[in-house]
């Protein structure tokens, strides 16, 4: 009884600390001898960047002392911070511990403390400890009994993430004899219900939750664990569920995730071509930014450009539109040529409230073995993960699963050969993209108009998506050289159940706008983007 009381008192103390600024527990002060102990107080302590990552001792934050190791420039989730261990570790069992923290991006992220070694024939990787950690909080990744495989060599230990490339800090890394309890950060782990951060959900958490709900209208980072129903706020319902969970009435927390808001949009059902106002192609007083990005792809090293809207905020989520140039053009065509200057048009549309701020990317299909019809491969393998790992979109991470989950916030379009690439993206990447804008170009697949339409309809059937889950706004000019190719394809598509023809995407999913008298030129085609783009990103895909 006495013990319980004192633990409850401890719980109260921690609660008070949680409501205020987060507190950390100092590492042990006993005389344990460590095989490795890295505090980063006077440098990197032998740690190096893994993959392309960089590491440096930094005083921006620390778990213990005044420095931590700061890991940046990661271009893949396996990039991180590493240190080599000598071969004498092989075959022995030790206690490993590190503390990790990250400061931007998702609210929680999965981190791994991993060992790499050579088993005599190949390189192997084994997780020492893993944890889902809370943004802005130090968390400990520890394993008191981890055996380094016998006869291994080239051993190193490192910190990495399961997905994404965010910067992180590492501090107070220790290796000690098997079974040693190495003190580390308390809490910092995402465990719904674990409000008194001890790794288990029990009565102490209920005590903390009750205190939290009366004491705090400003939730602490730790209160993400208190929001057991994932409603994005800690409320009475969470308290009720926690009580039921602890008493054994329920064995898991039912989720109450808020439905994602989409902006209601007043579609026209039969959208007619309308030119953007002439001054939309001059500089706007609220300018977005166009950034050159270099990336490596399955078809060599390439460049693309990223338009970020005025006041771009990496803490917010943005819809994203990939827009492909035509044959003989390149990734610069859309942003740097007098007859395009799409960025000025986007600036004006966003400033005047005609378009939600979004990210627009101009990649290229040019390159080693690259062509319009196979760009969909590179889009999936390289372009989307690269861009969306770096810029803030609805993709929670660059895992294919998270890219799929955010497809209703992703569009792809293109002109001429770019339109050819668009139909191919529809056919092959429909699981990643929800909106399509093929401009002045037909689908290269199938022998005749029916064959082209059928090829696309078959792709829909294979995907399993319903006709509320993909949207096509196609356009061309009546005098465009592509019109005689596209128009018959559209006529065949209209007959198929997969495509419901209207520009009111609350009712259907497929439209073809014909601009009277216009020919095959970006100077006209940019206006199709002006007409079509505001129609995107309003459907939930439910
Ligand atoms: C078409 C699709 C693409 C088309 C032309 C192109 C004539 C591209 C032409 C080029 O890049 O030269 O439907 O119709």
């Amino acid at each position: 009884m006495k013990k319980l009381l004192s633990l409850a008192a401890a719980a109260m103390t921690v609660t008070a600390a949680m409501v205020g600024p987060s507190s950390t527990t100092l590492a042990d002060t006993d005389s344990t001898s460590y095989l490795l102990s890295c505090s980063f107080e006077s440098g990197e302590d032998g740690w190096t960047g893994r993959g392309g990552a960089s590491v440096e001792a930094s005083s921006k934050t620390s778990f213990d002392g005044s420095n931590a190791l700061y890991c940046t420039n990661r271009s893949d989730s396996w990039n991180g911070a590493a240190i080599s261990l000598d071969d004498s570790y092989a075959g022995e069992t030790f206690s490993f511990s590190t503390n990790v923290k990250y400061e931007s991006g998702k609210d929680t992220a999965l981190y791994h403390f991993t060992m790499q070694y050579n088993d005599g024939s190949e390189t192997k990787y084994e997780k020492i400890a893993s944890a889902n950690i809370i943004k802005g909080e130090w968390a400990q990744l520890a394993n008191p009994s981890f055996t380094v495989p016998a006869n291994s060599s080239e051993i190193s230990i490192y910190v990495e993430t399961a997905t994404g490339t965010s910067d992180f800090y590492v501090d107070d890394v220790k290796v000690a004899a098997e079974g040693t309890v190495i003190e580390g950060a308390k809490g910092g782990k995402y465990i719904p219900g674990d409000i008194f951060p001890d790794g288990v959900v029990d009565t102490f958490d209920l005590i903390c939750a009750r205190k939290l709900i009366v004491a705090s209208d400003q939730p602490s980072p730790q209160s993400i664990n208190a929001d057991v129903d994932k409603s994005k706020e800690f409320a009475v319902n969470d308290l009720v569920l926690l009580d039921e969970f602890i008493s054994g009435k329920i064995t898991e927390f039912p989720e109450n995730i808020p439905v994602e808001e989409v902006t209601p949009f007043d579609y026209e059902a039969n959208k007619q071509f309308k030119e953007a106002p002439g001054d939309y192609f001059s500089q706007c007083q609220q300018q977005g930014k166009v950034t050159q990005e270099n990336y490596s792809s399955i078809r060599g090293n390439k460049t693309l450009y990223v338009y970020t809207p005025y006041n771009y905020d990496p803490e917010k989520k943005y819809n994203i539109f990939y827009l492909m140039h035509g044959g003989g053009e390149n990734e610069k065509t859309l942003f740097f040529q007098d007859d395009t200057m799409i960025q000025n048009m986007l600036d004006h549309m966003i400033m005047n409230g005609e378009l939600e701020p979004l990210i627009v990317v101009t990649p290229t299909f040019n390159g080693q073995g690259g062509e319009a019809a196979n760009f969909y491969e590179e889009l999936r393998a390289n372009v989307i993960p690269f861009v969306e790992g770096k810029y803030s979109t609805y993709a929670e991470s660059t895992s294919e699963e998270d890219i799929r989950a955010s497809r209703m916030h992703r569009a792809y379009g293109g002109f001429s050969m770019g339109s050819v690439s668009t139909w191919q993206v529809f056919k092959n990447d429909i699981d990643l993209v929800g909106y399509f804008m093929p401009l002045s170009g037909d689908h290269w697949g199938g022998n005749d108009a029916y064959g082209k339409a059928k090829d696309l309809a078959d792709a829909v059937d294979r995907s399993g998506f319903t006709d509320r889950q993909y949207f096509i706004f196609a356009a061309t000019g009546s005098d465009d050289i592509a019109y005689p190719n596209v128009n018959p394809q559209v006529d065949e598509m209209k007959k198929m159940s997969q495509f419901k023809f209207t520009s009111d995407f609350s009712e259907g999913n497929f439209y073809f706008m014909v601009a009277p008298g216009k020919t095959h030129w970006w100077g006209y085609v940019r206006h199709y983007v002006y007409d079509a783009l505001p129609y995107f990103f309003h459907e939930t895909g439910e």
Side-chain angles (χ1 to χ4, degrees), residues 159-180:
V159 176
E160 61 177 339
T161 53
T163 60
T165 57
S166 63
D167 298 344
F168 60 76
Y169 295 91
V170 171
D171 201 5
D172 205 28
V173 187
K174 289 192 165 94
V175 180
E178 177 181 8
T180 308

Side-chain angles (χ1 to χ4, degrees), residues 25-28 32 34-40 47 63-64 83 85 89 94-100 112-115 128-130 138-146 157-159 169-186 189:
T25 305
L26 293 184
D28 44 353
T32 310
Y34 296 104
L35 288 95
L36 181 77
S37 177
C38 307
S39 63
F40 310 108
W47 286 69
F63 168 66
D64 192 14
I83 188 169
L85 302 182
Y89 281 82
F94 302 96
S95 175
F96 290 85
S97 170
T98 184
N99 297 280
V100 180
H112 299 300
F113 188 22
T114 313
M115 177 170 287
I128 300 167
S130 298
W138 281 101
Q140 183 183 28
L141 302 189
N143 185 339
S145 180
F146 178 85
I157 53 175
Y158 60 96
V159 176
Y169 295 91
V170 171
D171 201 5
D172 205 28
V173 187
K174 289 192 165 94
V175 180
E178 177 181 8
T180 308
V181 176
I182 302 174
E183 292 287 328
K186 301 272 185 277
K189 291 185 187 154

Side-chain angles (χ1 to χ4, degrees), residues 326-328 416-417 419-420 440-442 444 480-483 485-486 520:
S416 191
M417 291 309 292
S419 185
V420 171
S440 299
D442 62 331
W444 289 11
D480 195 300
I481 50 165
Y483 178 85
N485 302 335
V486 187
H520 202 72

Side-chain angles (χ1 to χ4, degrees), residues 354-433:
E354 297 164 2
L355 186 65
E356 294 266 318
L358 85 173
I359 297 171
V360 178
V361 179
T362 58
T364 181
F365 53 73
N366 301 329
Q368 300 166 8
E371 48 186 270
N374 65 21
F375 182 74
Y376 69 88
E377 295 169 355
E378 189 187 323
L379 182 72
R380 176 185 297 268
N382 311 113
V383 176
I384 294 175
F386 171 77
V387 173
E388 301 193 35
K390 196 153 183 177
Y391 292 87
S392 185
T393 66
Y394 283 83
E396 290 286 334
S397 81
T398 56
S399 70
E400 197 147 303
E401 187 189 356
D402 283 341
I403 290 169
R404 285 198 190 111
S406 52
R407 61 185 285 285
M408 295 312 294
H409 295 278
R410 188 171 299 106
Y412 185 97
F415 165 56
S416 191
M417 291 309 292
S419 185
V420 171
S421 81
T422 305
W423 294 114
Q424 290 292 341
V425 168
F426 181 86
K427 178 178 169 179
N428 296 287
D429 292 343
I430 195 171
D431 58 325
L432 311 182
V433 179

Side-chain angles (χ1 to χ4, degrees), residues 242-307:
L242 191 60
D243 193 15
E244 291 180 353
F245 183 87
I246 291 163
S247 68
K249 235 172 113 184
I250 56 173
T251 54
E252 55 187 48
F253 298 115
E255 293 182 354
N256 182 24
I257 298 169
V259 179
E260 210 179 274
E261 275 186 40
V262 287
T263 332
F265 187 75
D266 200 10
Y267 297 102
E268 284 175 50
N270 187 22
K271 175 76 180 160
Q272 296 300 301
F273 171 69
K274 186 167 180 270
E275 280 194 14
D279 66 348
Y280 274 35
F281 299 100
S282 314
Q283 262 189 16
C284 180
Q285 73 236 46
Q286 298 190 350
Q287 282 175 49
K289 190 172 152 195
V290 174
T291 308
Q292 178 179 326
E293 295 286 357
N294 304 311
Y295 66 103
S296 59
S297 80
I298 51 173
R299 303 211 166 82
N301 292 328
K302 289 206 187 186
T303 298
L304 54 74
Y305 290 87
V306 181
Y307 167 88

